[in-house]
Amino acid sequence: MKTLSLLFVLFVVTLTAQHPPANGSAFSAERLARLDTVLQQYVDENRLAGAVALVLRDGQPVYERAVGWSDKEAGRKMATDTIFRIASQTKAITSVAVLSLVEEGKIGIGDSVSRFIPAFATTTVAVRKDGGGPGSPGNIDIVPAKRPITIRDLLTHSAGISYGTERDVASLYEAKGLGPAAGMGWYTADKNEPICNTMERLATLPFVAQPGEAWVYGYNTDILGCVVERASGTPLDEFIRARITGPLGMKDTQFFLPANQRERLAAVYASGSDGKIVRAPDGPKGQGNYVDGPRRSFAGGAGLLSTARDYARFLEMIRNGGALGSVRILAPRTVQLMTTNQVGTLHSTTGLGYGLGFETTDRYGANGMDPQGGFGWAGAYSTTYRVDPDARLVLVFMVQMLPNATDTRTKFPTMVYQALVEPK
């Protein structure tokens, strides 16, 4: 009888860990169960190998679920502490690193990038010739930039710097070991050189818009990673560990994974022609070099690995105005700059803006049920996150699909919000 009682207690503890009780009456348990059903359906239909979904309210989990497989071929089930490649979710962490140095007076938001990387003193822009068709550098004129690129330009992605994917400049980037032909543009984990070397080479290439005139997604935050190294005199991985992930207790967030933790890293999948998952290949366009690689390029734009719980701690710090518990990373005014639209309508004319590291929602309905004042972003491996200051929520969704080929990351926040029944 005692054995049966003990088994029952263990069952209840396990169930509670996977599905923590809703925070008061804010969430309907019945409606949250719909998210279980949707995620499991994607796994059962072989459209998703596995996922981890996590929702915090007031810093406490109201939903945490690991579903499916972290590595289907190896028979490893997904776990809540599985490690994921977070790609562009790295950008928010690097932006915090930059702004922490701004707070110390070592960097000015209005500083020219050339103060830290002299190669950026004279940048150029590729301009399409009148009547020229796309396809080769012969169809562009390369002209001087109208003004220096600033730290603010990089933080807001308004520097005119892309990933070199445009047909007009792609071959120029390829010749310098950058752009999609050299991997996937944003991917540098296979590079056997420090990130500053790569960014100095980038400075010699033409960019695709004049500084301040367009919102262009690209190497901006990788450049900022080099700026952090130059301003602090510390490698980016050490700086982030000492100033952000270490103090916040983000023990599983790093650029490269120790070999003895290899099995904690989720496998990457892609969608086949029939919509069913297929295992992605080794190398840059698949599994990557995050365990067996040179381990020299600390890409501030797309290089980190993390877990749902770790990344949620980082976001909770931001939601709390720069502090988590007794640890303060940024001042509240700095966080307000990060999470307020700083680019007007450059990023979007339909209600989305961009701050100093986060996309912002400026109108309800511009991004699903995301509220005005919400913010977040996503990663190339189909991960995503949102923060809702009004409802005191942090939403993190981790999967490994490359290229982005699943709609689960747009369905996830919808399924969370339809379960939020507490009136405002």
Side-chain angles (χ1 to χ4, degrees), residues 281-325:
D282 291 334
K285 296 185 179 180
Q287 307 304 323
N289 300 83
Y290 299 99
V291 181
D292 301 315
R295 310 172 78 89
R296 296 191 66 194
S297 182
F298 306 124
L304 283 171
L305 311 171
S306 192
T307 62
R309 291 173 178 175
D310 264 18
Y311 206 79
R313 289 184 66 80
F314 169 75
L315 296 175
E316 185 65 12
M317 175 272 293
I318 296 292
R319 190 190 71 81
N320 282 328
L324 187 66

Side-chain angles (χ1 to χ4, degrees), residues 152 336-348 352-355 360 362:
R152 181 188 180 89
Q336 188 175 3
L337 275 177
M338 294 189 77
T339 57
T340 303
N341 184 10
Q342 302 294 328
V343 298
T345 58
L346 285 184
H347 175 52
S348 165
L352 293 175
Y354 207 86
T360 64
D362 302 336

Side-chain angles (χ1 to χ4, degrees), residues 248 316-330 335:
L248 291 177
E316 185 65 12
M317 175 272 293
I318 296 292
R319 190 190 71 81
N320 282 328
L324 187 66
S326 61
V327 174
R328 178 162 291 282
I329 305 297
L330 293 176
V335 171

Side-chain angles (χ1 to χ4, degrees), residues 356-405:
L356 303 185
F358 294 103
E359 180 184 63
T360 64
T361 301
D362 302 336
R363 174 183 62 79
Y364 182 65
N367 187 30
M369 298 184 192
D370 204 28
Q372 182 178 353
F375 56 92
W377 199 237
Y381 295 95
S382 301
T383 58
T384 192
Y385 68 91
R386 302 303 295 182
V387 178
D388 181 339
D390 184 45
R392 310 185 305 282
L393 294 176
V394 166
L395 286 68
V396 178
F397 186 67
M398 297 291 209
V399 295
Q400 298 284 257
M401 293 282 288
L402 186 72
N404 294 331

Side-chain angles (χ1 to χ4, degrees), residues 11 46 295:
F11 171 76
N46 213 30
R295 310 172 78 89

Side-chain angles (χ1 to χ4, degrees), residues 21-28 57 62 422:
N23 191 342
S25 59
F27 282 88
S28 160
R57 190 165 204 255
V62 295
E422 180 180 85

